[in-house]
Amino acid sequence: MIQNAARCTTDSYLQNARSAAFDKANFKVYVAAANNDAITVVDVSDVDDLQIQGSLSHSYLDVTVGIDFDASKMVVYVAGYTADRLTAVDVSDGSAPSLLGSYYSAT
């Protein structure tokens, strides 16, 4: 697990949201927000009262532009445009997403 990633439970981590992935089994949406180099977990079980469950910000997520969800592993894969990275994030605990690993392309 990669350390030194910031967590936030405010909507500031949704600025310039670029992409989202839906977890239909757990009624969660994972949002990639480019301005905050972050992903945010939103509980959508009550559409009249959406709740931010947790967020994760890290330089590996710099200018996030895409996100996809693997339900069997409870992992989201996030593309960081400026970071030139594909990063895996464990979302099994939506209130505390954590970085698992990242692939960097220098070219």
Side-chain angles (χ1 to χ4, degrees):
M1 191 179 321
I2 300 168
Q3 302 299 315
N4 302 323
R7 287 184 177 76
C8 179
T9 56
T10 68
D11 61 356
S12 67
Y13 277 73
L14 293 173
Q15 291 180 351
N16 201 3
R18 293 291 177 110
S19 185
F22 180 54
D23 174 357
K24 65 181 175 182
N26 296 300
F27 297 99
K28 305 281 189 257
V29 173
Y30 307 103
V31 181
N35 280 13
N36 301 101
D37 309 333
I39 64 143
T40 299
V41 181
V42 182
D43 182 334
V44 295
S45 57
D46 179 355
V47 295
D48 293 324
D49 187 26
L50 303 180
Q51 295 289 319
I52 291 179
Q53 190 173 19
S55 290
L56 175 73
S57 179
H58 193 279
S59 62
Y60 289 180
L61 304 172
D62 194 18
V63 186
T64 57
V65 293
I67 191 167
D68 202 1
F69 174 62
D70 182 340
S72 67
K73 295 179 182 175
M74 292 301 294
V75 170
V76 294
Y77 297 93
V78 185
Y81 176 75
T82 305
D84 296 325
R85 289 185 177 270
L86 176 66
T87 301
V89 178
D90 180 346
V91 291
S92 58
D93 177 357
S95 65
S98 58
L99 290 171
L100 293 173
S102 188
Y103 175 80
Y104 173 68
S105 173
T107 57

